[in-house]
Amino acid sequence: MSLDNLPSKANEPIFLENTSVTHVGNLRLPTPCSVNVLLHLSPIITCRMESEHLPILLLEHYQHRPFLITLGNGFKINVLLFYNFNDVVFKKSKNSFRGFLVPAVSPCTVAQPDTRIQSMSFSMLNFREFYGSHDKKTKVNEKSLRRLGATKMEHHPWRIDITETPNFHENRKILEQEDGYAVSHTGLINRSDRETFLVSEAKNVLSGLRVFLSFVSGSACGLTLVKAIDEYDRELTLEWGTAHVEPWSQGTKGCLPAIGGGDSISQLFPGFWCFYNDPDWKKTLCTVIDWYFNSNNSFAHIGIILAQAALESLSYKIIRKELSANKTKELSTEKKLRKLLGIVEIDNEIPSSCKGLKDFSEQKIKQRREKYEDCYIGDAPEAIVQIRNDLVHAEKKYTPIPPEAQIDAIRLSLWYIELILLRKFGYNGKYMNRLRIAGGDPYEYVPWVKQVSGQ
């Protein structure tokens, strides 16, 4: 599987494949309609099946609603029709017109489910740089080499290799000026036992990999150009399009370091994959990570709400191992969070670096004392839950939440999510401590390693 289809510049369309449409609905076309499948990256990401000769019957029966088409390989997908009015006027006399079809779902599987696969390749959009012990080198010119970040992830029976693209150094400069999207890395997926696998298994691996990479990068990560080698050594396309990807300017760095990040990714993957394939954890894990990276890339007030939803899900999932489901439900949100932090051995005090949150908590305690005899505890779970409640259930008369307190609340919430997941995945390397005071190295060993080894 080659890299010939990769665009040379950021924001250029990515060619996926040439194919044909043989049926529209249940109607067989007299002549198959050839289409070029492209992934347009700018101004928004869109997968399009473009053609100069779409049959005129589409205009007569299938405007403004999804409809079924059959591809040349026999696979059926739902699509929507788009076209330019002038193209229709000039082409209608020839019983065809220029336009494009957009799959109703993206990414869209376009391979027969009973196809057996030897290996898969894919490309990643807007993944950040990382370096480690598996890095590769490529020639820039006769005198110099360029280091390409690479990593290997393994958990039986899967092995996944990821490598930075040779032109990403130049594309990153374009993205920093113009924003948008570019292929940053390519990957290869094999089974370590060399057995073939079905398309359904391939889809599960790809879905899990998207979730994992989104957690690692702290932003929605999309895969595209997903191709496979089948059991007869033929190359075929598995998917069109991509899942949601954040533009370069909005993408936020994740919690793993860049230097040594390749090794950190390798260490983190097995633990993640165990949870992803645990039926009791899979749905919760995918939902929590979705809320995590969306809160990581939202305004603080939105991020606080999403992050607390993630923490509540984690709390319920982890606490109910010790308590019954009914007893877990009876606990308030802040009590669940307080108990969760105790289970994973994270201090529930407001960190000294969160002065805005500390001031907010003290103000709330003062207000409570003036109104009631009892008062707040004044710890972090209570403070971030109170901020979330003030945002969602605000009374008509209340003091606006200071921006500093909101920023501290989202920082602390994201830090909790990262540490809880890293702990559950059995990670013992370095991570980015969001609560570190500015000016120092933000990367340090996870707290449980420091406690054991004194590093």
Side-chain angles (χ1 to χ4, degrees), residues 14 49 80 124 192 294 297 325 330 338 358 365 391 445:
I14 300 175
M49 305 167 61
L80 292 162
M124 297 159 56
S192 55
N294 276 292
N297 290 282
E330 290 172 1
R338 199 173 287 127
K358 183 73 173 175
I365 291 174
L391 288 169
Y445 282 94

Side-chain angles (χ1 to χ4, degrees), residues 283-315:
K283 184 177 179 180
T284 297
L285 183 63
C286 293
T287 301
V288 164
I289 291 177
D290 180 78
W291 283 332
Y292 162 73
F293 67 70
N294 276 292
S295 64
N296 200 17
N297 290 282
S298 299
F299 292 111
H301 63 288
I302 299 173
I304 289 167
I305 297 168
L306 294 174
Q308 185 167 310
L311 287 169
E312 286 189 61
S313 292
L314 287 171
S315 298

Side-chain angles (χ1 to χ4, degrees), residues 86 168 187 215 241 253 263 268 296 331 344 370 408 433:
N86 290 330
F168 186 52
F215 174 65
K253 289 183 179 179
D263 299 323
L268 185 64
N296 200 17
L331 294 176
V344 295
E370 292 172 353
D408 284 347
N433 185 346

Side-chain angles (χ1 to χ4, degrees), residues 21 47-49 54 58 67 69 79-81 99-103:
V21 178
C47 180
R48 293 167 34 165
M49 305 167 61
L54 290 179
L58 296 181
F67 57 95
I69 62 171
V79 296
L80 292 162
L81 171 65
F100 57 93
L101 308 174
V102 174

Side-chain angles (χ1 to χ4, degrees), residues 39-89:
L39 182 67
H40 290 263
L41 301 180
S42 180
I44 60 174
I45 297 179
T46 311
C47 180
R48 293 167 34 165
M49 305 167 61
E50 303 178 0
S51 177
E52 298 281 335
H53 307 287
L54 290 179
I56 208 69
L57 68 91
L58 296 181
L59 294 175
E60 298 169 352
H61 303 289
Y62 297 103
Q63 293 192 65
H64 314 303
R65 63 186 178 91
F67 57 95
L68 195 68
I69 62 171
T70 304
L71 304 177
N73 65 356
F75 199 84
K76 302 177 187 293
I77 61 170
N78 278 302
V79 296
L80 292 162
L81 171 65
F82 294 87
Y83 59 90
N84 182 292
F85 178 76
N86 290 330
D87 292 332
V88 173
V89 171

Side-chain angles (χ1 to χ4, degrees), residues 332-347:
S332 65
T333 300
E334 63 190 62
K335 287 181 178 178
K336 284 196 194 87
L337 180 53
R338 199 173 287 127
K339 186 166 184 61
L340 170 64
L341 296 180
I343 291 173
V344 295
E345 299 179 326
I346 298 175
D347 192 346

Side-chain angles (χ1 to χ4, degrees), residues 205-427:
V205 174
L206 292 168
S207 296
L209 186 58
R210 289 187 185 97
V211 175
F212 175 74
L213 295 173
S214 295
F215 174 65
V216 168
S217 64
S219 299
C221 182
L223 309 181
T224 190
L225 267 174
V226 181
K227 295 184 176 293
I229 300 296
D230 71 9
E231 59 184 327
Y232 304 109
D233 294 325
R234 298 174 301 194
E235 183 175 89
L236 55 94
T237 299
L238 280 184
E239 286 186 350
W240 292 344
T242 183
H244 173 69
V245 185
E246 292 289 350
W248 185 260
S249 62
Q250 295 181 29
T252 304
K253 289 183 179 179
C255 59
L256 298 186
I259 303 301
D263 299 323
S264 297
I265 292 171
S266 297
Q267 184 191 143
L268 185 64
F269 180 74
F272 165 85
W273 204 249
C274 285
F275 277 87
Y276 178 74
N277 284 283
D278 182 342
D280 187 50
W281 261 96
K282 184 174 183 178
K283 184 177 179 180
T284 297
L285 183 63
C286 293
T287 301
V288 164
I289 291 177
D290 180 78
W291 283 332
Y292 162 73
F293 67 70
N294 276 292
S295 64
N296 200 17
N297 290 282
S298 299
F299 292 111
H301 63 288
I302 299 173
I304 289 167
I305 297 168
L306 294 174
Q308 185 167 310
L311 287 169
E312 286 189 61
S313 292
L314 287 171
S315 298
Y316 182 79
K317 181 63 68 174
I318 294 172
I319 291 171
R320 72 172 185 168
K321 298 290 184 182
E322 295 191 4
L323 303 177
S324 67
N326 287 334
K327 286 185 177 180
T328 302
K329 288 180 180 179
E330 290 172 1
L331 294 176
S332 65
T333 300
E334 63 190 62
K335 287 181 178 178
K336 284 196 194 87
L337 180 53
R338 199 173 287 127
K339 186 166 184 61
L340 170 64
L341 296 180
I343 291 173
V344 295
E345 299 179 326
I346 298 175
D347 192 346
N348 62 13
E349 295 302 311
I350 299 176
S352 59
S353 60
C354 295
K355 185 179 183 302
L357 189 63
K358 183 73 173 175
D359 292 344
F360 171 84
S361 177
E362 291 175 353
Q363 180 65 25
K364 281 292 179 180
I365 291 174
K366 181 180 178 181
Q367 293 173 356
R368 184 85 174 188
R369 284 174 176 167
E370 292 172 353
K371 192 172 182 180
Y372 305 103
E373 292 183 359
D374 59 341
C375 64
Y376 287 172
I377 294 174
D379 65 359
E382 183 182 71
I384 62 177
V385 169
Q386 184 62 56
I387 285 184
R388 181 267 179 192
N389 291 345
D390 282 2
L391 288 169
V392 176
H393 305 296
E395 297 175 356
K396 291 183 179 179
K397 295 181 180 180
Y398 74 101
T399 303
I401 304 168
E404 297 82 2
Q406 294 188 47
I407 292 171
D408 284 347
I410 186 59
R411 285 172 56 224
L412 186 56
S413 298
L414 291 170
W415 184 69
Y416 284 156
I417 295 170
E418 289 165 349
L419 282 186
I420 292 165
L421 290 178
L422 292 175
R423 186 70 180 264
K424 297 300 289 184
F425 298 157
Y427 180 74

